Amino acid sequence: MSEFPGFDMRALDRARISRDARFDGKFFIAVTSTGIYCRPVCPARTSKRANIRFYPTAAAAAEAGYRPCLRCRPEAAPGTPAWMGTSAVVRRALRLIDEGILDEGSVDALASRLGIGPRHLCRLFLRHVGASPVAVAQTRRLHFAKRLLDETKLPITEIALAAGFGSLRRFNGAFQQTYRRAPRELRRERSNGLASRAGNAVALKLAFRPPYDWMQVRDFLAARAVTGVERVDERGYARTVVGGDCQGVICVRPVAGEDALELQVQDMAPGALFQLTSSVRRAFDLASDPARIAPAFSSDTLLAPLVKRRPGLRIPGAWDPFECAVRAVVGQQVSVAAGRTLAARLVARAGRRLTSGEEGLTHLFPTPADLAEADLAGLGLTRTRIGALRALARAVAEGTLSFSAPVEEITAALAELPGIGAWTAQYVALRALNEPDAFPAGDLVLRRMASTNGRPLTPRALATLAEAWRPWRGYAAVHLWRSATDIARRPTGA
């Protein structure tokens, strides 16, 4: 490509030659003489500069006619951040594609959902992403299928289903065209290195850009883990999940010596794997690029020391926007421990029992329909809070509030519900909608931590201060929250 956001050609070439892992996922290298595209960390022999082309996404390289490298496996690269600078329309479209809207629907349906014409949507994608929406969706499906072939012993028919292909014939044709080999041929080459499939469990590795502060994410989730739904211990983070008509359990943990987390999925149909991996990547903030975020805080006297102390900090996400909103309402104006207890009571009352759980994981979080009809008396919730929960559940169940809408529309709709307010809306945007610039300026802990005189700032004063932290205000909030936790844990007199 002649234009590349954020880099000039000389910088890209230096990054290519260095094979520095910090550039992994930021761009892809195509070689005209071989017709293959690779990650910057590919161990293959360096090609002549005249034969090199650079692309911001794997989809753009595939759209240009290149096939993925079988050595460096572009499908395993960390999520590219190239879309972060694109228009709001393209960002929302990419989120909907990631949620599978094109697995069954059409580009016309996607464009209609976005409120624009399909031709204009394709023009925006070519300008910002370098590939059409269909190419992005197919590249995403094929890369996921390739990872399942490499890392699991799932039958190829199940892999085709898991990757969103309607038939084995379509899957074989698309795979053959992209990789120049049939799936079975590639499976035979890799079969000796496959991890065994234990019972109904499947394990996948999800890459990230280092550093990654697993302890920070784990501690945050552990403090808020809801009994019956979540478990956090030395084995990792585990929780109950729903995928289509299936109920199951996932477990996420770091992989020793690798820049990756392992996702174990148990008792789920292959068709649910695609969406589960997307949810885990979002919930554990695996697409974040610490090296890109840190410079935004380097000159800030409040945040620079915190970033230096925890360079791999991530935004610990919530599994589901509705669940996040419910838990935020339940936890309003009480301690984290008290909010956790109230949420556990709510789950025991309104959540459905898991048909085949494991140690401590017994319930699914209530659905909007279940919560709207549940008797919430006697749980320790105030009448106002019960009313807020019912209003929220009914709005989602009836479709007047959709969490697939643009973030701005979701936060505005949440703030209009009784008992919700701006703090809850921004909190949901931060933890469940993957919005890195969300900022709950009314949060008392943030107002205290940002103050220089011991008195909490007003929400307006904090919002004004936070303007300098855009577009990463969400990371600033998490740094301040973590700093407050570290201070609270210090021994008296330390």
PDB file of all heavy atoms in Angstrom, residues 59 71 83 124 127 130 172 176 190 218 239-240 258 269 275 279 282 317 375-376 407 419 422 424 433 454:
ATOM      1  N   ALA A  59      -6.744  -9.039   6.446  1.00  0.00           N
ATOM      2  CA  ALA A  59      -7.806  -9.028   5.439  1.00  0.00           C
ATOM      3  C   ALA A  59      -7.395  -8.241   4.202  1.00  0.00           C
ATOM      4  O   ALA A  59      -7.722  -8.614   3.072  1.00  0.00           O
ATOM      5  CB  ALA A  59      -9.085  -8.441   6.038  1.00  0.00           C
ATOM      6  N   ARG A  71       4.205 -20.740   8.277  1.00  0.00           N
ATOM      7  CA  ARG A  71       5.219 -20.789   9.340  1.00  0.00           C
ATOM      8  C   ARG A  71       4.865 -19.841  10.486  1.00  0.00           C
ATOM      9  O   ARG A  71       4.869 -20.224  11.649  1.00  0.00           O
ATOM     10  CB  ARG A  71       6.606 -20.445   8.776  1.00  0.00           C
ATOM     11  CG  ARG A  71       7.137 -21.458   7.788  1.00  0.00           C
ATOM     12  CD  ARG A  71       8.581 -21.152   7.406  1.00  0.00           C
ATOM     13  NE  ARG A  71       9.492 -21.293   8.535  1.00  0.00           N
ATOM     14  CZ  ARG A  71      10.805 -21.037   8.477  1.00  0.00           C
ATOM     15  NH1 ARG A  71      11.325 -20.587   7.341  1.00  0.00           N
ATOM     16  NH2 ARG A  71      11.564 -21.199   9.527  1.00  0.00           N
ATOM     17  N   TRP A  83      -7.710  -0.394  13.083  1.00  0.00           N
ATOM     18  CA  TRP A  83      -9.054   0.184  12.996  1.00  0.00           C
ATOM     19  C   TRP A  83      -9.285   1.281  14.011  1.00  0.00           C
ATOM     20  O   TRP A  83     -10.248   2.026  13.928  1.00  0.00           O
ATOM     21  CB  TRP A  83     -10.099  -0.904  13.165  1.00  0.00           C
ATOM     22  CG  TRP A  83     -10.056  -1.574  14.494  1.00  0.00           C
ATOM     23  CD1 TRP A  83      -9.316  -2.665  14.839  1.00  0.00           C
ATOM     24  CD2 TRP A  83     -10.777  -1.202  15.666  1.00  0.00           C
ATOM     25  NE1 TRP A  83      -9.527  -2.989  16.144  1.00  0.00           N
ATOM     26  CE2 TRP A  83     -10.423  -2.112  16.681  1.00  0.00           C
ATOM     27  CE3 TRP A  83     -11.696  -0.196  15.961  1.00  0.00           C
ATOM     28  CZ2 TRP A  83     -10.942  -2.042  17.953  1.00  0.00           C
ATOM     29  CZ3 TRP A  83     -12.211  -0.130  17.241  1.00  0.00           C
ATOM     30  CH2 TRP A  83     -11.836  -1.045  18.221  1.00  0.00           C
ATOM     31  N   LEU A 124     -15.991   3.031   2.558  1.00  0.00           N
ATOM     32  CA  LEU A 124     -15.363   3.330   3.853  1.00  0.00           C
ATOM     33  C   LEU A 124     -14.397   2.219   4.260  1.00  0.00           C
ATOM     34  O   LEU A 124     -13.303   2.485   4.776  1.00  0.00           O
ATOM     35  CB  LEU A 124     -16.439   3.504   4.927  1.00  0.00           C
ATOM     36  CG  LEU A 124     -17.275   4.784   4.875  1.00  0.00           C
ATOM     37  CD1 LEU A 124     -18.375   4.744   5.927  1.00  0.00           C
ATOM     38  CD2 LEU A 124     -16.397   6.011   5.069  1.00  0.00           C
ATOM     39  N   ARG A 127     -11.202   2.386   2.273  1.00  0.00           N
ATOM     40  CA  ARG A 127     -10.388   3.525   2.665  1.00  0.00           C
ATOM     41  C   ARG A 127      -9.695   3.285   4.013  1.00  0.00           C
ATOM     42  O   ARG A 127      -8.517   3.568   4.176  1.00  0.00           O
ATOM     43  CB  ARG A 127     -11.248   4.783   2.762  1.00  0.00           C
ATOM     44  CG  ARG A 127     -10.449   6.045   3.126  1.00  0.00           C
ATOM     45  CD  ARG A 127     -11.369   7.197   3.504  1.00  0.00           C
ATOM     46  NE  ARG A 127     -12.442   7.379   2.524  1.00  0.00           N
ATOM     47  CZ  ARG A 127     -13.546   8.068   2.774  1.00  0.00           C
ATOM     48  NH1 ARG A 127     -13.731   8.628   3.962  1.00  0.00           N
ATOM     49  NH2 ARG A 127     -14.471   8.193   1.845  1.00  0.00           N
ATOM     50  N   GLY A 130      -8.754  -1.322   4.056  1.00  0.00           N
ATOM     51  CA  GLY A 130      -8.026  -1.881   2.923  1.00  0.00           C
ATOM     52  C   GLY A 130      -8.667  -3.128   2.353  1.00  0.00           C
ATOM     53  O   GLY A 130      -8.069  -3.813   1.522  1.00  0.00           O
ATOM     54  N   ASN A 172     -14.230 -26.049   2.427  1.00  0.00           N
ATOM     55  CA  ASN A 172     -13.091 -26.638   1.707  1.00  0.00           C
ATOM     56  C   ASN A 172     -12.666 -25.760   0.541  1.00  0.00           C
ATOM     57  O   ASN A 172     -11.466 -25.567   0.291  1.00  0.00           O
ATOM     58  CB  ASN A 172     -13.445 -28.039   1.210  1.00  0.00           C
ATOM     59  CG  ASN A 172     -13.429 -29.084   2.314  1.00  0.00           C
ATOM     60  OD1 ASN A 172     -12.694 -28.936   3.283  1.00  0.00           O
ATOM     61  ND2 ASN A 172     -14.246 -30.110   2.183  1.00  0.00           N
ATOM     62  N   GLN A 176      -9.055 -23.979   0.460  1.00  0.00           N
ATOM     63  CA  GLN A 176      -8.154 -24.350  -0.634  1.00  0.00           C
ATOM     64  C   GLN A 176      -7.697 -23.106  -1.397  1.00  0.00           C
ATOM     65  O   GLN A 176      -6.515 -22.969  -1.738  1.00  0.00           O
ATOM     66  CB  GLN A 176      -8.854 -25.317  -1.587  1.00  0.00           C
ATOM     67  CG  GLN A 176      -8.029 -25.752  -2.787  1.00  0.00           C
ATOM     68  CD  GLN A 176      -7.041 -26.843  -2.434  1.00  0.00           C
ATOM     69  OE1 GLN A 176      -7.371 -27.765  -1.713  1.00  0.00           O
ATOM     70  NE2 GLN A 176      -5.831 -26.746  -2.951  1.00  0.00           N
ATOM     71  N   ARG A 190       0.178 -31.370  10.611  1.00  0.00           N
ATOM     72  CA  ARG A 190       0.271 -30.840  11.974  1.00  0.00           C
ATOM     73  C   ARG A 190      -0.175 -31.838  13.030  1.00  0.00           C
ATOM     74  O   ARG A 190      -0.105 -31.545  14.210  1.00  0.00           O
ATOM     75  CB  ARG A 190      -0.626 -29.602  12.092  1.00  0.00           C
ATOM     76  CG  ARG A 190      -0.331 -28.538  11.054  1.00  0.00           C
ATOM     77  CD  ARG A 190       0.673 -27.550  11.553  1.00  0.00           C
ATOM     78  NE  ARG A 190       0.907 -26.512  10.556  1.00  0.00           N
ATOM     79  CZ  ARG A 190       1.665 -25.456  10.773  1.00  0.00           C
ATOM     80  NH1 ARG A 190       2.247 -25.294  11.927  1.00  0.00           N
ATOM     81  NH2 ARG A 190       1.858 -24.567   9.822  1.00  0.00           N
ATOM     82  N   ARG A 218      -6.435 -10.431  37.133  1.00  0.00           N
ATOM     83  CA  ARG A 218      -6.941 -11.489  38.016  1.00  0.00           C
ATOM     84  C   ARG A 218      -7.468 -10.936  39.323  1.00  0.00           C
ATOM     85  O   ARG A 218      -8.549 -11.322  39.790  1.00  0.00           O
ATOM     86  CB  ARG A 218      -5.831 -12.497  38.296  1.00  0.00           C
ATOM     87  CG  ARG A 218      -6.277 -13.732  39.064  1.00  0.00           C
ATOM     88  CD  ARG A 218      -5.135 -14.390  39.791  1.00  0.00           C
ATOM     89  NE  ARG A 218      -4.631 -13.512  40.859  1.00  0.00           N
ATOM     90  CZ  ARG A 218      -3.611 -13.829  41.644  1.00  0.00           C
ATOM     91  NH1 ARG A 218      -2.960 -14.965  41.472  1.00  0.00           N
ATOM     92  NH2 ARG A 218      -3.217 -13.004  42.606  1.00  0.00           N
ATOM     93  N   ARG A 239     -15.834 -19.431  34.430  1.00  0.00           N
ATOM     94  CA  ARG A 239     -17.205 -18.960  34.573  1.00  0.00           C
ATOM     95  C   ARG A 239     -18.150 -19.806  33.716  1.00  0.00           C
ATOM     96  O   ARG A 239     -17.712 -20.512  32.790  1.00  0.00           O
ATOM     97  CB  ARG A 239     -17.344 -17.499  34.193  1.00  0.00           C
ATOM     98  CG  ARG A 239     -17.201 -17.184  32.719  1.00  0.00           C
ATOM     99  CD  ARG A 239     -17.773 -15.805  32.400  1.00  0.00           C
ATOM    100  NE  ARG A 239     -19.222 -15.805  32.507  1.00  0.00           N
ATOM    101  CZ  ARG A 239     -19.937 -14.836  33.108  1.00  0.00           C
ATOM    102  NH1 ARG A 239     -19.323 -13.805  33.642  1.00  0.00           N
ATOM    103  NH2 ARG A 239     -21.254 -14.901  33.155  1.00  0.00           N
ATOM    104  N   THR A 240     -19.435 -19.692  34.024  1.00  0.00           N
ATOM    105  CA  THR A 240     -20.457 -20.356  33.231  1.00  0.00           C
ATOM    106  C   THR A 240     -20.832 -19.462  32.055  1.00  0.00           C
ATOM    107  O   THR A 240     -20.831 -18.230  32.171  1.00  0.00           O
ATOM    108  CB  THR A 240     -21.708 -20.639  34.080  1.00  0.00           C
ATOM    109  OG1 THR A 240     -22.227 -19.397  34.578  1.00  0.00           O
ATOM    110  CG2 THR A 240     -21.363 -21.532  35.258  1.00  0.00           C
ATOM    111  N   GLU A 258       4.930 -17.759  27.281  1.00  0.00           N
ATOM    112  CA  GLU A 258       4.400 -17.299  25.998  1.00  0.00           C
ATOM    113  C   GLU A 258       3.563 -16.041  26.203  1.00  0.00           C
ATOM    114  O   GLU A 258       3.003 -15.824  27.280  1.00  0.00           O
ATOM    115  CB  GLU A 258       3.526 -18.378  25.351  1.00  0.00           C
ATOM    116  CG  GLU A 258       4.279 -19.642  24.990  1.00  0.00           C
ATOM    117  CD  GLU A 258       3.399 -20.628  24.228  1.00  0.00           C
ATOM    118  OE1 GLU A 258       2.592 -20.167  23.407  1.00  0.00           O
ATOM    119  OE2 GLU A 258       3.529 -21.837  24.471  1.00  0.00           O
ATOM    120  N   ALA A 269     -20.927 -26.550  22.056  1.00  0.00           N
ATOM    121  CA  ALA A 269     -20.913 -26.989  20.663  1.00  0.00           C
ATOM    122  C   ALA A 269     -19.846 -26.215  19.882  1.00  0.00           C
ATOM    123  O   ALA A 269     -19.554 -25.057  20.206  1.00  0.00           O
ATOM    124  CB  ALA A 269     -22.281 -26.761  20.029  1.00  0.00           C
ATOM    125  N   GLN A 275     -17.682 -17.188  18.736  1.00  0.00           N
ATOM    126  CA  GLN A 275     -18.131 -16.060  19.540  1.00  0.00           C
ATOM    127  C   GLN A 275     -17.481 -16.058  20.916  1.00  0.00           C
ATOM    128  O   GLN A 275     -17.184 -14.997  21.476  1.00  0.00           O
ATOM    129  CB  GLN A 275     -19.652 -16.079  19.679  1.00  0.00           C
ATOM    130  CG  GLN A 275     -20.230 -14.840  20.359  1.00  0.00           C
ATOM    131  CD  GLN A 275     -19.787 -13.566  19.671  1.00  0.00           C
ATOM    132  OE1 GLN A 275     -19.866 -13.454  18.454  1.00  0.00           O
ATOM    133  NE2 GLN A 275     -19.298 -12.600  20.431  1.00  0.00           N
ATOM    134  N   SER A 279     -15.407 -13.005  22.655  1.00  0.00           N
ATOM    135  CA  SER A 279     -15.784 -12.467  23.963  1.00  0.00           C
ATOM    136  C   SER A 279     -14.606 -12.473  24.927  1.00  0.00           C
ATOM    137  O   SER A 279     -14.412 -11.522  25.693  1.00  0.00           O
ATOM    138  CB  SER A 279     -16.947 -13.275  24.552  1.00  0.00           C
ATOM    139  OG  SER A 279     -18.102 -13.160  23.751  1.00  0.00           O
ATOM    140  N   ARG A 282     -12.158  -9.686  24.074  1.00  0.00           N
ATOM    141  CA  ARG A 282     -12.659  -8.392  24.546  1.00  0.00           C
ATOM    142  C   ARG A 282     -12.584  -8.298  26.066  1.00  0.00           C
ATOM    143  O   ARG A 282     -12.106  -7.304  26.616  1.00  0.00           O
ATOM    144  CB  ARG A 282     -14.106  -8.199  24.076  1.00  0.00           C
ATOM    145  CG  ARG A 282     -14.759  -6.935  24.617  1.00  0.00           C
ATOM    146  CD  ARG A 282     -16.229  -6.875  24.283  1.00  0.00           C
ATOM    147  NE  ARG A 282     -16.956  -8.055  24.667  1.00  0.00           N
ATOM    148  CZ  ARG A 282     -17.315  -8.331  25.923  1.00  0.00           C
ATOM    149  NH1 ARG A 282     -16.991  -7.517  26.914  1.00  0.00           N
ATOM    150  NH2 ARG A 282     -17.988  -9.430  26.200  1.00  0.00           N
ATOM    151  N   GLY A 317     -12.458  -6.590  31.437  1.00  0.00           N
ATOM    152  CA  GLY A 317     -13.785  -6.448  30.871  1.00  0.00           C
ATOM    153  C   GLY A 317     -14.828  -7.283  31.592  1.00  0.00           C
ATOM    154  O   GLY A 317     -14.514  -8.119  32.441  1.00  0.00           O
ATOM    155  N   ASP A 375     -38.903 -12.398  41.467  1.00  0.00           N
ATOM    156  CA  ASP A 375     -39.243 -11.767  42.741  1.00  0.00           C
ATOM    157  C   ASP A 375     -37.930 -11.408  43.440  1.00  0.00           C
ATOM    158  O   ASP A 375     -37.184 -12.293  43.858  1.00  0.00           O
ATOM    159  CB  ASP A 375     -40.062 -12.735  43.589  1.00  0.00           C
ATOM    160  CG  ASP A 375     -40.396 -12.163  44.967  1.00  0.00           C
ATOM    161  OD1 ASP A 375     -40.155 -10.954  45.180  1.00  0.00           O
ATOM    162  OD2 ASP A 375     -40.875 -12.935  45.826  1.00  0.00           O
ATOM    163  N   LEU A 376     -37.645 -10.112  43.558  1.00  0.00           N
ATOM    164  CA  LEU A 376     -36.361  -9.669  44.114  1.00  0.00           C
ATOM    165  C   LEU A 376     -36.478  -9.193  45.560  1.00  0.00           C
ATOM    166  O   LEU A 376     -35.527  -8.641  46.110  1.00  0.00           O
ATOM    167  CB  LEU A 376     -35.775  -8.552  43.238  1.00  0.00           C
ATOM    168  CG  LEU A 376     -35.578  -8.911  41.753  1.00  0.00           C
ATOM    169  CD1 LEU A 376     -34.977  -7.732  41.011  1.00  0.00           C
ATOM    170  CD2 LEU A 376     -34.696 -10.142  41.614  1.00  0.00           C
ATOM    171  N   VAL A 407     -21.979   2.939  20.772  1.00  0.00           N
ATOM    172  CA  VAL A 407     -21.727   3.148  22.197  1.00  0.00           C
ATOM    173  C   VAL A 407     -22.424   4.407  22.709  1.00  0.00           C
ATOM    174  O   VAL A 407     -22.995   4.417  23.810  1.00  0.00           O
ATOM    175  CB  VAL A 407     -20.206   3.241  22.466  1.00  0.00           C
ATOM    176  CG1 VAL A 407     -19.930   3.633  23.916  1.00  0.00           C
ATOM    177  CG2 VAL A 407     -19.541   1.911  22.159  1.00  0.00           C
ATOM    178  N   GLY A 419     -32.816   5.176  37.942  1.00  0.00           N
ATOM    179  CA  GLY A 419     -31.850   4.563  38.844  1.00  0.00           C
ATOM    180  C   GLY A 419     -30.534   4.175  38.210  1.00  0.00           C
ATOM    181  O   GLY A 419     -29.698   3.531  38.857  1.00  0.00           O
ATOM    182  N   ALA A 422     -25.313   8.486  34.719  1.00  0.00           N
ATOM    183  CA  ALA A 422     -24.123   8.594  33.864  1.00  0.00           C
ATOM    184  C   ALA A 422     -23.004   7.679  34.327  1.00  0.00           C
ATOM    185  O   ALA A 422     -22.265   7.128  33.514  1.00  0.00           O
ATOM    186  CB  ALA A 422     -23.646  10.041  33.820  1.00  0.00           C
ATOM    187  N   THR A 424     -23.080   4.687  35.821  1.00  0.00           N
ATOM    188  CA  THR A 424     -23.307   3.305  35.390  1.00  0.00           C
ATOM    189  C   THR A 424     -23.139   3.171  33.881  1.00  0.00           C
ATOM    190  O   THR A 424     -22.540   2.203  33.399  1.00  0.00           O
ATOM    191  CB  THR A 424     -24.717   2.846  35.798  1.00  0.00           C
ATOM    192  OG1 THR A 424     -24.859   2.972  37.216  1.00  0.00           O
ATOM    193  CG2 THR A 424     -24.962   1.405  35.404  1.00  0.00           C
ATOM    194  N   LEU A 433     -18.336  -2.726  26.748  1.00  0.00           N
ATOM    195  CA  LEU A 433     -18.487  -2.338  25.347  1.00  0.00           C
ATOM    196  C   LEU A 433     -17.153  -2.064  24.671  1.00  0.00           C
ATOM    197  O   LEU A 433     -17.106  -1.589  23.533  1.00  0.00           O
ATOM    198  CB  LEU A 433     -19.395  -1.102  25.241  1.00  0.00           C
ATOM    199  CG  LEU A 433     -20.811  -1.278  25.802  1.00  0.00           C
ATOM    200  CD1 LEU A 433     -21.600   0.018  25.670  1.00  0.00           C
ATOM    201  CD2 LEU A 433     -21.541  -2.416  25.096  1.00  0.00           C
ATOM    202  N   GLY A 454      -6.192  16.400  48.825  1.00  0.00           N
ATOM    203  CA  GLY A 454      -6.871  15.522  49.765  1.00  0.00           C
ATOM    204  C   GLY A 454      -8.379  15.559  49.683  1.00  0.00           C
ATOM    205  O   GLY A 454      -9.055  14.678  50.226  1.00  0.00           O
TER     206      GLY A 454
END
